[in-house]
Amino acid sequence: MDTKAEHVLSVIRNRQSLRIFDTKAICEEEENALIEAAMRAPTAGNQMLYSMIIIRDQAKKERLSQLCDHQPFMAKAPLMIVFVADFQKWMDYYVRNDVKQFCEGKAFQFEAPQESDLMLATADALIAAQNSVIAAEAMGIGSCYIGDIVEHGEQIKELLNLPQYTMPVALLVYGHYPKDLPRVKRSRYDRRFVVFEDAYQRLDGEQIDAMFAQEDQKFNPQNSVGAENFAQQFYARKTGAPFSKEMARSVRFWLKQWDGRLL
């Protein structure tokens, strides 16, 4: 393997989620480089079904940090970008070019964007986001994904002036690593539980136990929710928690706009 490939793989291996940032600003050249990297990402049909909203306004940063499950560190990030699944621009293009009239009397129906369009747009947005993450890391700039951007849909929609055929799917904060910050490499599940060949393989009980063995070691018998094992404890903290319920409610709010109705 050549040196260039090793460098790229090293950047990927050493990346961590960064929540404490150096006071050094991200310069215009660095910002432009990570934006360009995002825009060079693979995209379905070369449609680029996403938009990036750079949040400059400090008050808006503070508001987003509260709406995204109360995470104050977000507002201290030198750079914040919301990645939005976006079919609005294509719909506006279709309307401007009389696509509805074109469909009349032909074997086409002029429909609103639907769930499949949202899936493609979401993939586009997340691939672009990850390209920016790797580009930033290569420049010594750390980042952290904020998935909570899909919560409080009505308020986020108003705050960011999002039109009908859009949905925020990721918020990223970026900043330089503080000097001498120790790198913490989080463990990942063993490859045999994740990578299959030719078809999906349902894990049996022993394999499930083996996969989550490290997680089970984190169990706190003195937990406040009366959990008897880590699975119960984790469910109470995350999957069944109020913020997850709000996230599910908001996703349903966003989905209502992508209903594929005839226009």
Side-chain angles (χ1 to χ4, degrees):
M1 192 177 297
D2 62 27
T3 304
K4 186 181 293 186
E6 282 287 2
H7 172 68
V8 173
L9 291 173
S10 176
V11 168
I12 294 172
R13 292 189 190 108
N14 292 324
R15 191 250 167 204
Q16 68 178 53
S17 292
L18 187 65
R19 295 177 174 85
I20 302 174
F21 307 103
D22 190 89
T23 55
K24 178 182 176 182
I26 293 176
C27 70
E28 183 178 1
E29 181 182 11
E30 292 169 328
E31 180 180 307
N32 287 340
L34 67 87
I35 292 294
E36 180 186 10
M39 295 181 67
R40 292 307 308 169
T43 165
N46 203 33
Q47 296 175 89
M48 294 180 70
L49 299 172
Y50 61 89
S51 291
M52 291 176 274
I53 303 175
I54 302 174
I55 307 299
R56 309 276 191 203
D57 183 76
Q58 186 59 38
K60 198 164 278 192
K61 283 186 175 182
E62 298 280 355
R63 181 62 177 149
L64 285 167
S65 74
Q66 292 303 308
L67 290 172
C68 293
D69 204 29
H70 306 285
Q71 301 185 75
F73 82 92
M74 292 170 52
K76 300 176 182 178
L79 179 62
M80 176 185 289
I81 303 178
V82 181
F83 286 80
V84 180
D86 182 1
F87 215 100
Q88 188 67 56
K89 288 173 283 194
W90 274 90
M91 286 302 295
D92 291 345
Y93 176 60
Y94 289 156
V95 170
R96 184 172 177 81
N97 286 276
D98 300 322
V99 172
K100 181 176 181 178
Q101 288 78 3
F102 165 76
C103 290
E104 292 176 359
K106 296 185 174 65
F108 306 107
Q109 292 181 320
F110 190 54
E111 300 172 329
Q114 49 202 299
E115 296 90 342
S116 57
D117 298 309
L118 177 57
M119 291 291 288
L120 286 176
T122 297
D124 266 18
L126 291 175
I127 295 167
Q130 185 61 14
N131 251 32
S132 79
V133 163
I134 299 304
E137 190 71 24
M139 295 185 285
I141 297 170
S143 58
C144 185
Y145 276 97
I146 310 296
D148 303 278
I149 189 63
V150 302
E151 295 179 43
H152 303 290
E154 295 88 346
Q155 295 178 67
I156 295 292
K157 180 181 173 71
E158 181 179 2
L159 184 67
L160 300 181
N161 193 34
L162 293 173
Q164 183 169 6
Y165 303 122
T166 60
M167 177 180 172
V169 294
L171 184 154
L172 271 159
V173 290
Y174 309 79
H176 287 276
Y177 283 87
K179 186 178 180 181
D180 300 325
L181 179 77
R183 294 291 184 112
V184 179
K185 198 168 184 178
R186 299 284 297 274
S187 62
R188 294 292 188 259
Y189 296 120
D190 191 271
R191 172 176 172 153
R192 72 183 187 276
F193 303 129
V194 179
V195 181
F196 310 130
E197 294 187 14
D198 296 327
Y200 185 87
Q201 298 175 29
R202 184 81 177 266
L203 303 183
D204 62 25
E206 289 185 3
Q207 290 170 319
I208 290 291
D209 290 343
M211 177 176 174
F212 290 97
Q214 290 188 18
E215 308 290 349
D216 289 338
Q217 293 177 12
K218 302 173 187 176
F219 175 59
N220 176 15
Q222 307 303 317
N223 64 85
S224 61
V225 293
E228 298 178 357
N229 54 52
F230 183 79
Q232 296 174 5
Q233 183 179 331
F234 188 85
Y235 187 92
R237 180 172 69 85
K238 194 169 182 70
T239 311
F243 80 89
S244 288
K245 301 305 180 185
E246 166 54 29
M247 186 178 291
R249 186 203 67 80
S250 279
V251 168
R252 287 191 289 269
F253 162 77
W254 293 111
L255 281 172
K256 287 178 183 178
Q257 301 180 100
W258 299 70
D259 58 6
R261 67 185 181 280
L262 292 179
L263 297 176

